[in-house]
Amino acid sequence: MADGMSGERTRPVHPLISRLGRTRLFYALAPHLLPACDRLAHRATRGHWMPSRLFLPTILLTTRHPHGHPHTTPVCAYPYPDGAWLVIASNFGRPRHPLWSENLLRHPPATVTSGGRNHPVTACLLTPEEVRAERPRILTALPVYDHYVARAANRPLRVFRLVPASAIRSSSVGRRRRSAP
């Protein structure tokens, strides 16, 4: 299936990669190494490639801190045909929500960078019912989702739909931002 990311295709995740995502070593190292490697490769290739894309559909998401400073981080994403993205605030199953999800709750407008292009988006937090309906797409973007849910037992994993700003502008209704669970 085409993933909407500069002509790349979503690859089925090899079972070995899925198992690796559940290991203690991955849990200890990945939150520190993967985002840094992805940002470095992204800069070096002028936005055209990140190592994480070898295994999972990944975008760069730029949000705003409360004081207006940008915060850019790689996130796994499911691309919709309409230009929207589904992103999961798993934080590798750690106890705290990732900073980018806190930023989206405070300030829903953001920017997705994919395929060397920036796409203005607005974030909509999904309800638990919507998360259940989106489960197949969540598992496509993050096959270890259930493992991260169990690991982060003290917090629900936030799931957002990032809607292209052009779709929001052209819609007379739009969707309102929902508060955090």
Side-chain angles (χ1 to χ4, degrees), residues 20 30 37 42 45 68 108 111 117 140-141 144 158 180:
L20 176 66
C37 289
H42 191 268
T45 63
T111 303
R117 292 190 174 156
T140 297
V144 293
R158 294 174 179 153

Side-chain angles (χ1 to χ4, degrees), residues 73-115:
T73 191
V75 295
C76 295
Y78 177 86
Y80 291 98
D82 66 358
W85 286 271
L86 181 79
V87 293
I88 304 97
S90 70
N91 204 16
F92 296 91
R94 297 188 303 185
R96 295 186 140 169
H97 291 290
L99 177 62
W100 63 263
S101 77
E102 299 288 339
N103 292 343
L104 286 179
L105 291 175
R106 289 185 191 100
H107 187 76
T111 303
V112 165
T113 304
S114 177

Side-chain angles (χ1 to χ4, degrees), residues 42-93:
H42 191 268
R43 250 182 259 131
T45 63
R46 295 185 182 146
H48 292 283
W49 186 75
M50 288 184 284
S52 292
R53 282 198 186 153
L54 292 172
F55 312 107
L56 298 169
T58 306
I59 59 170
L60 276 186
L61 177 63
T62 302
T63 60
R64 295 275 170 206
H65 284 282
H67 299 291
H69 303 296
H71 174 77
T72 301
T73 191
V75 295
C76 295
Y78 177 86
Y80 291 98
D82 66 358
W85 286 271
L86 181 79
V87 293
I88 304 97
S90 70
N91 204 16
F92 296 91

